[in-house]
Amino acid sequence: EVQLVESGGDLVQPGGSLRLSCAVSRFTVSSNYMSWVRQAPGKGLEWVSVIYSGGNTYYADSVKGRFTISRDNSKNTLYLQMNSLRVEDTAVYYCARNWGVISGWYFDLWGRGTLVTVSS
Amino acid sequence: QTVVTQEPSFSVSPGGTVTLTCGLSSGSVSTSYYPSWYQQTPGQAPRTLIYNTNTRSSGVPDRFSGSILGNKAALTITGAQADDESDYYCVLYMGSGISVFGGGTKLTVL
């Protein structure tokens, strides 16, 4: 069964850092585009970042310069390093497989999410 | 800054048809934005319904359909059922790796 399992969510103080992980089974992270999407409590979905199979990375303006997406091919795992966290970064963070424009640009597989709470 | 617009809420009677839309604060939505649609119930991860404007994801019933209507992308549910009561999100591709979600539509079936 294809699985994406996020972990690493926690309570952190404003200005702190956290690294989220997304362990993937049944397909290869490095051969796919992978995205992070977040959802603040009671709010809508917000795209955060994508890493292409070739390694290019892109970010939403709201996290640019603070968050870094990466992957470990040997562990088949996607990461999101989050620095200078703000209260408004509080959300459930989902990882998702992201197909490119040749396939129609969309997210087809989703994890269950991990909760990040930024509060003093 | 590009804003993707959706109706905040909509209601439909069981067995009825409803069309949710996805627009841009400035400009028209076309197939070049590769609109996709997602369904989410509280506490659950999103489920992919439609991609590339009108392609149904695997396992999605054919009562869900996608299209371009005028200057917006549209998701039509024909023969609405009680378990269609969910939040629905569209996503548009803005180029250079950037995806933008709409604010979501809360659909009530009553």
Side-chain angles (χ1 to χ4, degrees):
Chain A
E1 180 188 358
V2 174
Q3 277 195 317
L4 295 81
V5 180
E6 301 94 337
S7 61
D10 204 347
L11 170 63
V12 61
Q13 291 190 339
S17 297
L18 206 58
R19 189 179 81 158
L20 305 183
S21 300
C22 172
V24 172
S25 57
R26 301 289 190 180
F27 71 89
T28 303
V29 167
S30 61
S31 299
N32 287 272
Y33 293 9
M34 297 293 297
S35 273
W36 287 97
V37 174
R38 69 184 180 182
Q39 187 168 36
K43 303 296 184 182
L45 298 167
E46 179 188 16
W47 174 80
V48 172
S49 180
V50 65
I51 183 167
Y52 284 8
S53 51
N56 287 0
T57 59
Y58 301 92
Y59 300 90
D61 286 344
S62 58
V63 306
K64 197 175 297 181
R66 300 187 299 123
F67 290 10
T68 302
I69 191 171
S70 65
R71 65 192 180 210
D72 184 328
N73 297 344
S74 67
K75 296 182 178 180
N76 209 34
T77 298
L78 177 73
Y79 299 103
L80 186 68
Q81 177 67 44
M82 304 186 295
N83 298 332
S84 303
L85 281 161
R86 304 168 180 169
V87 171
E88 55 265 35
D89 294 320
T90 294
V92 173
Y93 285 74
Y94 298 98
C95 65
R97 186 168 67 178
N98 186 162
W99 289 93
V101 294
I102 291 177
S103 302
W105 195 271
Y106 66 107
F107 312 104
D108 74 326
L109 296 172
W110 299 75
R112 292 191 170 192
T114 187
L115 176 62
V116 173
T117 303
V118 185
S119 174
S120 53
Chain B
Q1 183 174 340
T2 303
V3 176
V4 177
T5 61
Q6 295 185 247
E7 299 87 357
S9 62
F10 230 117
S11 63
V12 62
S13 300
T17 296
V18 62
T19 296
L20 311 181
T21 67
C22 175
L24 285 169
S25 55
S26 177
S28 298
V29 177
S30 67
T31 56
S32 300
Y33 286 90
Y34 302 97
S36 55
W37 292 89
Y38 305 84
Q39 177 190 50
Q40 188 185 36
T41 52
Q44 300 297 313
R47 171 197 181 197
T48 307
L49 295 177
I50 300 287
Y51 63 94
N52 203 14
T53 305
N54 55 15
T55 303
R56 268 186 301 277
S57 188
S58 176
V60 174
D62 60 7
R63 55 199 180 78
F64 290 91
S65 63
S67 64
I68 299 290
L69 285 181
N71 62 350
K72 296 182 179 182
L75 173 70
T76 299
I77 306 172
T78 304
Q81 300 180 359
D83 61 3
D84 294 336
E85 187 161 294
S86 300
D87 295 325
Y88 292 85
Y89 295 91
C90 68
V91 172
L92 300 180
Y93 177 59
M94 298 302 177
S96 299
I98 305 300
S99 299
V100 179
F101 279 84
T105 297
K106 183 177 183 63
L107 180 67
T108 301
V109 180
L110 51 71

